[in-house]
């Protein structure tokens, strides 16, 4: 018999709170156990509405979110949470189908893990995403070009004075481009420099570039700031946006 849910006890050291959303009690228990031993406060939900309720009661620092949930799928949960406030999301999918992964990234997931997965790998992904979500300790200088302005310490971005709603990875990607204008980077380079990974699905980079273009380009169908360099990758050209 499944044990009744008990909310996690708060910790005096203000450890990051992780919300694990999965309708498979075995998966949820294993993931929660590994995250708890890694020092996180872990909250759990087994469906979409419960996840939204838990998040409303105690806003998480990160969500581990299964794509396939009863009643309300993970994509809709991600959309609704993002409507309430910024939160990093790692999506879990039971299928290796690329369409599922891209859908998760399109709605704003910062990372994804395909089942079956190593719980240790998931903990490392959680640590990586949380590390990226924290304001930089040293390199906090404001960045700007072509009407774009970024405040890394406040994690705030604007275009021509209007606020941009960027996900964690979109913000990091734009900051990287602003720091390195005019240079072409392969997708492998961007994954290493922005995501901090030496391996991974390069479609992650492609989807995030497409999403970022949709927010910073005047005409995303004809991007001028973030240009495709065929056979190489992408280049940020602030001069083209000012022309």
């Amino acid at each position: 018999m499944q044990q009744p849910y008990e909310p996690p006890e708060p910790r005096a050291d203000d450890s990051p709170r992780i919300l694990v959303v999965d309708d498979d009690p075995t998966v949820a228990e294993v993931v929660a156990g590994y995250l708890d031993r890694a020092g996180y406060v872990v909250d759990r939900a087994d469906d979409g509405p419960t996840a939204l309720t838990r998040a409303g009661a105690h806003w998480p620092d990160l969500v581990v979110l299964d794509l396939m949930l009863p009643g309300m799928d993970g994509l809709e949960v991600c959309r609704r949470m993002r409507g309430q406030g910024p939160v990093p999301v790692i999506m879990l999918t039971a299928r290796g189908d690329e369409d599922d992964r891209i859908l998760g990234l399109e709605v704003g997931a910062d990372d994804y893990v395909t089942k079956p997965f190593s719980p240790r790998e998931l903990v490392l992904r959680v640590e990586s995403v949380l590390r990226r979500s924290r304001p930089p300790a040293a390199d906090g200088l404001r960045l700007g070009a072509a009407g774009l302005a970024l405040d890394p310490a406040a994690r705030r971005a604007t275009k021509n004075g209007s606020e941009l709603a960027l996900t964690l990875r979109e913000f990091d990607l734009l900051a990287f481009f602003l720091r390195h204008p005019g240079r072409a980077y392969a997708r492998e380079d961007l994954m290493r420099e922005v995501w901090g990974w030496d391996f991974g699905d390069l479609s992650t980079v492609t989807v995030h570039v497409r999403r970022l273009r949709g927010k910073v380009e005047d005409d995303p169908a004809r991007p001028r700031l973030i240009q495709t360099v065929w056979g190489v990758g992408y280049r940020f050209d602030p001069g083209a946006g000012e022309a």
Side-chain angles (χ1 to χ4, degrees), residues 157-216:
T158 60
K159 177 183 178 182
N160 299 325
S162 298
E163 193 88 16
L164 292 174
L166 302 180
T167 67
L168 166 67
R169 297 298 188 187
E170 290 166 0
F171 187 97
D172 290 343
L173 184 58
L174 182 56
F176 182 82
F177 279 138
L178 284 169
R179 290 189 178 103
H180 304 91
R183 178 177 172 181
Y185 286 92
R187 292 187 299 169
E188 293 89 345
D189 297 330
L190 293 172
M191 177 159 284
R192 182 176 59 254
E193 298 294 336
V194 178
W195 277 258
W197 307 334
D198 290 322
F199 62 91
D201 186 349
L202 295 180
S203 65
T204 300
V205 178
T206 304
V207 172
H208 278 80
V209 168
R210 182 165 66 244
R211 285 178 53 85
L212 184 57
R213 282 171 167 168
K215 297 177 181 181
V216 304

Side-chain angles (χ1 to χ4, degrees), residues 12-79:
D13 59 357
D14 196 27
S15 302
R17 178 179 289 268
I18 312 297
L19 175 58
V20 176
V21 188
D22 198 307
D23 63 326
D24 185 327
T26 301
V27 172
E29 184 175 352
V30 169
V31 170
Y34 271 80
L35 289 171
D36 180 74
R37 287 191 290 275
Y40 299 106
V41 176
V42 184
D43 204 352
R44 286 169 53 180
D46 57 9
D47 59 47
T50 303
L52 296 175
T53 300
R54 300 258 192 266
H58 298 284
W59 192 251
D61 295 291
L62 182 144
V63 181
V64 176
L65 179 61
D66 189 21
L67 177 65
M68 304 299 292
L69 293 170
M72 180 189 302
D73 65 23
L75 299 177
E76 183 61 24
V77 174
C78 187
R79 290 190 189 98

Side-chain angles (χ1 to χ4, degrees), residues 128-148:
S128 173
V129 172
L130 285 175
R131 185 168 59 250
R132 289 282 180 173
S133 70
R134 300 185 186 106
D139 189 9
L141 296 178
R142 297 191 179 197
L143 305 167
L148 297 168

